[in-house]
Amino acid sequence: MKGDFRLSRRRTTVAGVDIPAGATLMVLNGAANRDPRHFEDPGEFRVDRDDAREHLAFGRGVHSCPGGSLARMETRVSIERLLDRTTEISVAESHHGPPGARRYRYMPTYILRGLTQLHLEWAPARTPPGDR
Ligand code: HEM
């Protein structure tokens, strides 16, 4: 999730910024996850980061996402199934351009960061999952 909104119930200060009572704030979880002061090379996808569990994609505190465990499980199963059946997965240059100059389109929303389309190329796995 890119971000969400909050209504301040009382006057407060966040990171040196005065927030009046009744203000609508946008909390940018996505930006926090890419904060180089917290995460080393935050733009890189590294599943084995020591601090991977400190991300805020599911929020934190009383309103943290109750669907987080389901979403994590669905993601794990989807990626495992994909890797079981494919090898050499790459982004299709014909649709998204060459490495270093990729072009993607995102859904026009402040809340989610979702691609409208992702074109991939892959080779089938050498041994289909049923034959192992
Ligand atoms: C990758 C998938 C998902 C992401 C990144 C995500 C992320 C989030 C985030 C950031 C929040 C807001 C936390 C806050 O306000 O501080 C949230 C709230 C919520 N999510 Fe998710 N979510 C995901 C999937 C799901 C699923 C699968 C379900 C239900 C099956 C779900 C149900 C909810 C509900 C009910 C809330 C509101 C919680 C509250 O306000 O107390 N989410 N989610």
Side-chain angles (χ1 to χ4, degrees):
M1 182 179 262
K2 272 199 305 200
D4 208 345
F5 296 90
R6 290 287 191 270
L7 177 68
S8 68
R9 295 170 60 190
R10 56 181 172 80
R11 189 174 165 211
T12 188
T13 306
V14 177
V17 178
D18 285 331
I19 313 282
T24 302
L25 309 172
M26 186 172 192
V27 183
L28 291 169
N29 310 31
N33 290 338
R34 299 288 185 114
D35 185 350
R37 292 169 301 180
H38 194 88
F39 297 105
E40 190 183 291
D41 295 325
E44 278 188 21
F45 178 61
R46 289 195 210 154
V47 283
D48 57 353
R49 288 175 184 274
D50 289 340
D51 53 4
R53 289 175 179 272
E54 291 166 27
H55 74 81
L56 297 176
F58 293 108
R60 194 62 60 90
V62 288
H63 289 288
S64 69
C65 177
S69 301
L70 175 62
R72 284 182 174 93
M73 189 192 289
E74 287 174 339
T75 306
R76 184 172 57 76
V77 170
S78 305
I79 291 175
E80 282 174 1
R81 293 281 158 90
L82 187 66
L83 295 178
D84 270 352
R85 290 161 172 74
T86 56
T87 56
E88 297 163 46
I89 305 169
S90 59
V91 172
E93 285 196 28
S94 51
H95 285 88
H96 300 296
R102 301 279 200 217
R103 299 180 306 270
Y104 298 105
R105 288 206 177 148
Y106 294 88
M107 288 190 282
T109 160
Y110 289 116
I111 308 293
L112 300 168
R113 184 164 183 265
L115 294 169
T116 53
Q117 293 182 328
L118 177 62
H119 293 265
L120 299 175
E121 288 164 356
W122 64 81
R126 283 172 201 91
T127 316
D131 294 354
R132 285 178 205 159

